[in-house]
Amino acid sequence: MTGHRVPTKTESVSESVDTITGDYLGSQLGMPSKNRKTAPRKPRTDALRNRERILEVAKEVFTRSGANASLDDIAKEAGVGAGTLYRHFPTRDALIEAVYRTEVEKLAAAEKKFSASLPPIEALRAWMLLFVDYIATKQIIAPALNSLVGGPSRLYEGSRGRIQGAIDALVERAIKNGDIRRDLEPFDLLRALIGVSHVASGPDWQQSARRLVGILITGSRPIT
């Protein structure tokens, strides 16, 4: 009986940067069937864990050392081989894009998580503090994002809508609970935090932004 080897199926670069919570890298070997289609193999748990760990470490390293940090150092700090990193993220651009997209996904998911576990005003506070971290990550990798083919607009497309939806839902919940004044424009809270990040002259701007979160929350209380 003779057979042939099915070519390895790997994820394309565009797929690797568009997929945030899933990973379809890997290979499949087997005999083709004329009458039956083989279902795609789901990513293994350890592969997903490796991918998530790489993204987590990459964010920390990029924040600490800039977007030109060594990818080999990121792999070593993540506890994986360089080959594993490059299988998930074939290029530096792919890794940078994935880090950015992951931060957006975290912001979107955190709205529901905080709303389900915290009082409305505290959910809003926690989410705004997370937004400060998002700004920091975006600032660090912005030069690299700008150098990508097509510029940052392709990456930023859709991000504002998801972030706007999250802050709108949090503020609406706090208003209904009587914690926030009804004439508050939700996105004004984010504009204030973004403004601090742009005018800050030192590395401690994040501390200033975090303090500002408390000030904004207090200033948004209903007038009595």
Side-chain angles (χ1 to χ4, degrees):
M1 180 177 180
T2 60
H4 63 277
R5 179 185 178 91
V6 177
T8 298
K9 297 180 180 178
T10 58
E11 185 183 41
S12 67
V13 174
S14 62
E15 288 172 335
S16 71
V17 299
D18 286 335
T19 304
I20 298 301
T21 58
D23 171 42
Y24 296 92
L25 292 168
S27 62
Q28 289 182 320
L29 298 178
M31 296 296 293
S33 172
K34 294 182 179 179
N35 300 319
R36 184 181 62 185
K37 293 183 179 180
T38 303
R41 180 181 298 174
K42 293 183 179 180
R44 298 181 310 179
T45 301
D46 57 345
L48 291 174
R49 189 181 301 115
N50 284 341
R51 188 178 192 279
E52 291 171 358
R53 177 60 180 162
I54 291 169
L55 287 171
E56 177 184 340
V57 170
K59 175 190 172 183
E60 295 173 359
V61 174
F62 287 151
T63 300
R64 184 173 67 240
S65 305
N68 291 321
S70 167
L71 298 190
D72 288 344
D73 287 347
I74 291 175
K76 184 181 298 185
E77 193 167 326
V80 301
T84 297
L85 184 147
Y86 287 110
R87 280 197 298 275
H88 286 282
F89 308 103
T91 67
R92 178 183 299 275
D93 288 352
L95 179 57
I96 289 172
E97 288 190 33
V99 169
Y100 173 75
R101 292 180 189 276
T102 299
E103 292 306 296
V104 174
E105 289 294 325
K106 285 180 180 178
L107 278 171
E111 179 264 313
K112 291 183 175 58
K113 175 184 176 182
F114 292 151
S115 294
S117 60
L118 296 171
I121 193 67
E122 293 307 318
L124 177 61
R125 186 194 308 274
W127 192 90
M128 289 174 66
L129 289 172
L130 186 62
F131 183 76
V132 172
D133 293 338
Y134 162 81
I135 297 173
T137 299
K138 185 177 177 182
Q139 279 192 328
I140 292 298
I141 66 176
L145 291 175
N146 290 331
S147 70
L148 298 180
V149 176
S153 59
R154 176 172 57 87
L155 283 174
Y156 299 160
E157 183 179 358
S159 298
R160 180 188 169 99
R162 301 200 69 181
I163 293 171
Q164 179 78 62
I167 189 70
D168 285 352
L170 288 161
V171 169
E172 180 180 359
R173 186 166 172 258
I175 288 176
K176 287 182 177 179
N177 200 54
D179 299 325
I180 296 293
R181 52 194 296 175
R182 291 186 173 278
D183 62 346
L184 177 72
E185 176 60 41
F187 211 74
D188 284 346
L189 298 175
L190 304 189
R191 288 192 183 98
L193 296 177
I194 293 170
V196 169
S197 73
H198 285 310
V199 302
S201 58
D204 61 345
W205 73 265
Q206 282 183 261
Q207 296 178 11
S208 296
R210 287 178 171 275
R211 288 194 296 270
L212 181 59
V213 168
I215 295 172
L216 290 170
I217 292 293
T218 300
S220 299
R221 296 281 191 176
I223 299 175
T224 56

